[in-house]
Amino acid sequence: QAETFAAIREAWGIPRDENLKLRDYPTLAHAIEFVKERRPAGASPAAEAKEAEPAAETPAAAEALQAPRGDLEAAARVPRRVPVAVLRPALDDCKPTGVALGETSRVVVVLDHGGVGRALVRRLEKLGAEVLTITDAADRESLAAPIREFAARGPVQGLYWLPALDPEEPLASLDLPGWRAALAVRVKGLHAAARELYDALGEPDSFLVAGTRLGGCHGYGDEAPTAPLGGAVAGFVKSVARERPDALVKAVDFPATRKTAELADALVAETLGDPGAVEIGVRGAQRFGVALASRSAEDGGEGLALGPETVAVVTGAAGSIVSAIVADLATAAGGGTFHLLDVSPEPDPGDPELLRFATDRDGLKRSIFERLRAAGERGTPAQVEGELARIERAHAAAVALEAVRAAGGRAHYHAVDLTDGEAVAKVIDGVRAESGHIDVLLHAAGMERSRALPDKEAAEFDRVFDVKADGWFNLMHAVGDLPLGASVAFSSIAGRFGNAGQTDYAAANDLLCKCASWMRGARPATRALAIDWTAWGGIGMATRGSIPQVMERAGIEMLPAEAGIAVVRRELCAGAGRGEVLIAGRLGVLEAERHETGGLDPAAFEARTGEAGPMLERVTGLSTTEGLCVETRLEATQPFLDHHRIDGTPVLPGVMGLEAFAELAGLLLPGWHLRGIEDVAFEAPFKLYRDEARSVELVGQPRPEGDEVVVHCELRGRRSLPGQEEPQVTSHFRARVRMAPEPLPDESGDAPGAAPESAARPADVYRVYFHGPAYRVLDAAWREGEDAVGAMAADLPENHRPPDRPLRAAPREIELCFQTAGIHEIGTTGRMGLPQRIDRVVFPGEPAAPGGDLRAVVTPRGEGACDARVLGADGRVRLRLEGYRTAALPAGLDAEALAPLRRAMS
């Protein structure tokens, strides 16, 4: 209806009315009245005016079959992100969901065969709930009927969907009927059940909780999932969450285990706690969510080399986007052999309507209308658009064929239904006989029919789902042991985030993503990739009607065609093309939090922040994108600020930024040990202008890495500037904090002896440095061979107030390394620098008590970098710095002040 009215307004020149309610115009008669009331005086429809124009000449084939070009530089400007597993807080630290399970609860449980569902039913009945238990529903209707009867007797509060907890047969051992049966049990039955309970899921205390066995991290952990069909369940559930925002909706993922009681307890607990995320993983005592991380396409091994010998198999080849990508790959390869598969028949490149499509689409529409009318058809808009879509696909297929041949390659077109396993096998057998291998398998086929779940009939769901799901299976089944260099499956942002009206489309796309992850273990020699595309601009179906306006209102950026076309080539030829990758700019509402605090209960952290160090004050919430969020008010009277002034302005020491990150990681992982702080970037100084108090924002996203957890941290500041409505947000420091249940082993070394007479003393050092008493950490600095040595000053004033708040990262010991390295730099080069980067700070063993007779040993490593260690008198290494670098200050230093530092470092 929105697209129809957009076309009407365009045809009659009617201005857009933001207050217009389309429900007020339900019939064609209402639409006619709309035109009569709103059209400008004397206006006639644009189509009518165009009839007087001379018909456009049919363009030459060379002009009409030109493919749009890809641009790698444009592709590089589009953010590239990958889904990653992130640690979520314990349920005790989360808000309740608002769901209460008790005597008034009426719940449907569709069982697994492993006993988890039975254990869950016992717990629900113990709480007083009335439970409908369903096992082995043979088909959709046999599943829906008892739910319908149960709902007729009273309100249903929720649904537990557990069939995806059952083990899956190895995909290599399945035939097509087995594949279809496995998906029918897992996701097509869920479609039937969710439709029956759709109205119930509109209530605030309602819920849909599904279980999967992707490994406990939704397939984004270190190990490849062994049960990838759960991806279809997760994609479906995410879309239901979009359609029914008042319900609690979760896909809870588990590892493969025989335990039943623990999983049942977890399902109940997830129903009652944490309303902030749909995708939840449970692995032992830890809970996980899914976030996006920026990742360069170059961060990997060697990519694929495209050349004249390249063999590619491409599905969905009659789509305009796919056609452009095929042209881009063929041009880059300088030819190659391309097998193009599509359900559309092979195009006739001399068809005048096909050629006319490229330059006179509107005129072609009028000609189609006239042709239909002449043939006795009504020529309805739907008929015209259907015929135009057929011509468009033929044109796209012809463009792909022409591009391959123009590049010097060979193009074979196969009109085939991808859901027909025998037909697909026949094509692949032909490739096997001709080439003996496939370098690139591009599965881009798909269709989309947006419709809310109650209107999503089984036949339509299957039609949308099967072309992607069965198509992928038939391809891989036919490929078998044929050498396969890379596979690329087209997914979408609907697969990653879910989307209202697209339960089938999202389910199929997320299935493809999980199958790509599964291939890490099943076919490690194949680089398997699934691309979550945003909607394209310039070409493709999303450019028509109201979709661009809908995307703009949702804050979702469309993908420039020249960028998207080149993405597949980049992913194949760069080294990182494995697993799932999201190609999109701004994501708008898709990244909005489901709960105002992200599901976190800030009050649960009050006691812990009160016992933490000086850089943590108040937990404000949890962000899916950034992790735990903390705000701390800093006063200029704090010694680490008051004694660290540049030109009279308090500046947060970089070492206190590292301390803040360590404290934040400790808050997320109480009882764990700090092993290191890595990839430290001091990007901008954080200043307290005019000595006014200022808040610092800390965010930390914890990601599992084996038995460790790495917390990705950022320290930010906000400033309100004159003439700007929005505050200026600046990222000051970034780093990754490595935590583990056990500390690193102890390290030891030879501690340097006493300072020589030539050593620089505090009077020499702090004539150059700006530090106040609390940060005058150097008692002496001198040179031993190639190393610089700094002795820690004794009896330093307090670092912070209150002084009893504990420190985790020994900030003044790191400062000792900074200042010792700085004196070496000044004494040997005459330049003074401020901290810029550290590759890593390592903390061996258990934390040592502060103070004592300490030495920093700084070892230059060339190219402006150095390493450093802090040792106690007993030779124990308290911490190590690797790859420390500074940014040189432009101002020179006074020769008289330089002299003692040069002597000390000579």
Side-chain angles (χ1 to χ4, degrees):
Q1 189 180 12
E3 293 181 8
T4 298
F5 266 72
I8 290 171
R9 287 192 294 99
E10 180 181 358
W12 289 89
I14 300 172
R16 182 180 181 83
D17 182 357
E18 297 292 343
N19 298 316
L20 183 71
K21 295 181 175 60
L22 294 181
R23 63 175 177 267
D24 295 337
Y25 299 89
T27 68
L28 181 59
H30 287 89
I32 292 170
E33 288 302 315
F34 170 81
V35 173
K36 291 179 178 178
E37 294 170 359
R38 303 290 186 106
R39 64 177 177 177
S44 59
E48 203 174 282
K50 289 181 178 178
E51 285 184 5
E53 298 174 5
E57 294 183 4
T58 300
E63 175 189 353
L65 300 181
Q66 283 291 318
R69 296 181 178 275
D71 184 341
L72 286 173
E73 291 185 3
R77 291 192 290 270
V78 178
R80 181 187 189 275
R81 287 163 281 192
V82 298
V84 294
V86 295
L87 199 67
R88 281 190 75 80
L91 284 169
D92 289 345
D93 294 331
C94 294
K95 293 272 192 181
T97 61
V99 175
L101 294 172
E103 295 182 357
T104 62
S105 299
R106 303 182 73 247
V107 179
V108 178
V109 179
V110 182
L111 298 177
D112 62 318
H113 291 104
V116 177
R118 294 292 182 190
L120 174 63
V121 170
R122 289 194 293 271
R123 281 152 179 77
L124 294 172
E125 290 178 341
K126 189 175 181 179
L127 292 169
E130 181 184 355
V131 182
L132 170 65
T133 302
I134 299 178
T135 59
D136 294 326
D139 53 47
R140 281 179 166 110
E141 180 54 28
S142 62
L143 177 71
I147 296 176
R148 195 178 307 128
E149 294 172 7
F150 186 64
R153 298 198 302 269
V156 178
Q157 184 183 10
L159 167 66
Y160 286 103
W161 183 264
L162 307 182
L165 291 178
D166 287 330
E168 297 174 10
E169 292 291 327
L171 295 190
S173 68
L174 287 178
D175 57 11
L176 182 57
W179 163 264
R180 287 174 170 167
L183 286 170
V185 168
R186 285 164 175 80
V187 72
K188 294 186 177 180
L190 176 56
H191 166 246
R195 286 189 78 205
E196 289 297 329
L197 295 172
Y198 192 80
D199 290 340
L201 292 174
E203 299 300 322
D205 64 342
S206 61
F207 65 88
L208 164 58
V209 176
T212 60
R213 292 275 196 178
L214 289 158
C217 291
H218 281 277
Y220 304 115
D222 295 331
E223 298 179 356
T226 56
L229 302 192
V233 174
F236 183 97
V237 167
K238 286 184 286 189
S239 288
V240 173
R242 298 280 174 188
E243 287 196 29
R244 306 312 266 166
D246 290 334
L248 171 78
V249 181
K250 285 187 179 181
V252 185
D253 188 49
F254 299 99
T257 173
R258 294 181 180 271
K259 296 177 180 178
T260 59
E262 289 183 12
L263 271 61
D265 288 337
L267 289 167
V268 172
E270 291 294 342
T271 308
L272 302 177
D274 188 2
V278 176
E279 293 170 291
I280 294 292
V282 177
R283 202 169 60 186
Q286 292 182 324
R287 303 175 66 244
F288 299 89
V290 179
L292 294 172
S294 296
R295 198 72 52 82
S296 169
E298 308 298 331
D299 293 344
E302 185 176 350
L304 182 71
L306 297 175
E309 301 304 316
T310 295
V311 177
V313 174
V314 181
T315 73
S320 55
I321 287 173
V322 184
S323 169
I325 290 171
V326 167
D328 184 74
L329 294 176
T331 301
T337 300
F338 285 77
H339 294 269
L340 307 180
L341 284 63
D342 200 279
V343 72
S344 300
E346 183 169 0
D348 174 7
D351 183 342
E353 286 192 329
L354 182 154
L355 300 176
R356 188 177 172 191
F357 175 85
T359 56
D360 187 24
R361 190 173 185 274
D362 288 340
L364 179 58
K365 286 178 68 173
R366 293 194 300 275
S367 296
I368 292 171
F369 172 76
E370 292 164 359
R371 172 161 54 80
L372 290 171
R373 292 294 296 270
E377 300 286 344
R378 291 178 60 196
T380 65
Q383 287 177 315
V384 172
E385 287 297 332
E387 184 66 7
L388 189 68
R390 180 193 65 77
I391 296 169
E392 180 177 11
R393 295 191 66 79
H395 175 264
V399 167
L401 290 164
E402 174 62 24
V404 173
R405 292 161 183 160
R410 294 187 300 157
H412 305 281
Y413 191 90
H414 308 273
V416 60
D417 179 354
L418 290 178
T419 65
D420 183 340
E422 292 184 2
V424 173
K426 183 177 180 180
V427 173
I428 300 301
D429 286 345
V431 177
R432 179 183 283 106
E434 178 182 297
S435 303
H437 72 282
I438 299 173
D439 295 298
V440 179
L441 175 60
L442 181 61
H443 181 37
M447 61 183 301
E448 189 277 319
R449 297 288 185 271
S450 291
R451 210 183 304 272
L453 194 52
D455 302 321
K456 183 73 71 173
E457 298 287 347
E460 180 175 274
F461 184 98
D462 293 353
R463 189 161 56 251
V464 172
F465 183 86
D466 291 352
V467 68
K468 279 183 170 288
D470 290 359
W472 181 87
F473 177 83
N474 287 334
L475 287 165
M476 295 307 301
H477 191 69
V479 167
D481 59 1
L482 188 66
L484 175 60
S487 71
V488 182
F490 276 22
S491 176
S492 75
I493 55 175
R496 171 86 300 277
F497 298 102
N499 196 22
Q502 294 185 332
T503 48
D504 42 13
Y505 192 63
N509 280 313
D510 207 10
L511 171 64
L512 295 183
C513 292
K514 300 310 187 289
C515 287
S517 182
W518 165 81
M519 287 177 69
R520 288 186 288 151
R523 292 190 71 126
T526 299
R527 292 177 55 213
L529 180 73
I531 301 178
D532 295 329
W533 298 104
T534 188
W536 284 46
I539 58 176
M541 291 182 294
T543 60
R544 295 183 205 138
S546 62
I547 293 177
Q549 290 76 28
V550 171
M551 299 284 285
E552 183 178 355
R553 287 196 295 271
I556 301 172
E557 191 173 3
M558 298 185 78
L559 180 66
E562 66 274 13
I565 291 168
V567 162
V568 172
R569 171 164 46 109
R570 180 192 67 188
E571 295 296 328
L572 290 171
C573 298
R578 287 183 183 269
E580 183 178 352
V581 57
L582 185 141
I583 304 297
R586 297 187 308 276
L587 292 168
V589 297
L590 296 179
E591 287 192 305
E593 299 296 336
R594 289 186 59 81
H595 186 270
E596 60 185 358
T597 67
L600 191 76
D601 183 5
F605 286 85
E606 288 180 3
R608 270 181 271 167
T609 53
E611 297 170 357
M615 292 301 295
L616 300 186
E617 182 180 351
R618 184 173 68 91
V619 172
T620 58
L622 185 70
S623 163
T624 302
T625 305
E626 298 180 317
L628 189 67
C629 307
V630 174
E631 185 177 290
T632 300
R633 188 80 168 166
L634 296 179
E635 303 281 349
T637 54
Q638 271 283 12
F640 60 79
L641 287 162
D642 192 26
H643 298 183
H644 193 263
R645 293 174 177 265
I646 298 178
D647 296 329
T649 299
V651 178
L652 181 67
V655 295
M656 287 305 293
L658 301 185
E659 171 63 26
F661 294 158
E663 292 177 14
L664 184 63
L667 190 64
L668 283 162
L669 296 157
W672 284 46
H673 293 264
L674 174 64
R675 286 191 168 185
I677 306 177
E678 306 167 353
D679 295 332
V680 181
F682 301 109
E683 297 175 337
F686 182 89
K687 301 179 180 181
L688 269 62
Y689 300 95
R690 298 176 297 280
D691 277 30
E692 294 175 355
R694 188 178 173 199
S695 291
V696 65
E697 297 176 3
L698 300 168
V699 293
Q701 184 72 281
R703 303 179 194 168
E705 287 190 11
D707 294 333
E708 300 176 321
V709 172
V710 176
V711 185
H712 295 246
C713 299
E714 182 181 4
L715 184 151
R716 295 193 295 244
R718 294 176 184 268
R719 290 183 67 203
S720 295
L721 300 177
Q724 293 187 8
E725 293 184 7
E726 296 295 326
Q728 179 189 68
V729 180
T730 302
S731 175
H732 295 277
F733 306 151
R734 295 179 188 267
R736 303 188 304 148
V737 181
R738 188 169 294 275
M739 304 286 286
E742 300 295 331
L744 289 170
D746 285 331
E747 297 180 12
S748 61
D750 296 327
E757 288 295 324
S758 60
R761 297 295 178 177
D764 306 317
V765 172
Y766 298 106
R767 182 178 176 181
V768 174
Y769 276 166
F770 50 81
H771 304 79
Y775 272 71
R776 294 184 173 180
V777 298
L778 267 176
D779 182 62
W782 67 95
R783 185 166 179 168
E784 285 192 4
E786 295 299 316
D787 296 338
V789 180
M792 187 83 169
D795 302 323
L796 288 169
E798 61 190 24
N799 175 76
H800 54 276
R801 299 188 189 119
D804 60 343
R805 298 194 73 168
L807 298 172
R808 292 185 65 98
R812 290 198 287 195
E813 294 180 25
I814 299 175
E815 182 70 23
L816 176 66
C817 296
F818 285 4
Q819 293 190 22
T820 303
I823 296 303
H824 178 268
E825 182 178 15
I826 294 169
T828 56
T829 69
R831 297 191 305 270
M832 180 177 178
L834 294 178
Q836 185 180 45
R837 295 195 63 83
I838 311 172
D839 289 345
R840 62 186 55 85
V841 185
V842 181
F843 298 89
E846 296 281 359
D853 186 13
L854 305 181
R855 300 284 189 271
V857 179
V858 175
T859 303
R861 291 301 185 204
E863 297 183 358
C866 65
D867 297 342
R869 297 176 296 162
V870 175
L871 300 96
D874 58 357
R876 179 189 169 191
V877 176
R878 296 164 67 101
L879 60 86
R880 285 189 288 110
L881 270 68
E882 299 175 4
Y884 172 62
R885 298 172 181 82
T886 62
L889 293 174
L893 296 174
D894 179 78
E896 184 179 348
L898 272 174
L901 306 184
R902 288 190 182 279
R903 284 196 301 272
M905 293 297 127
S906 63

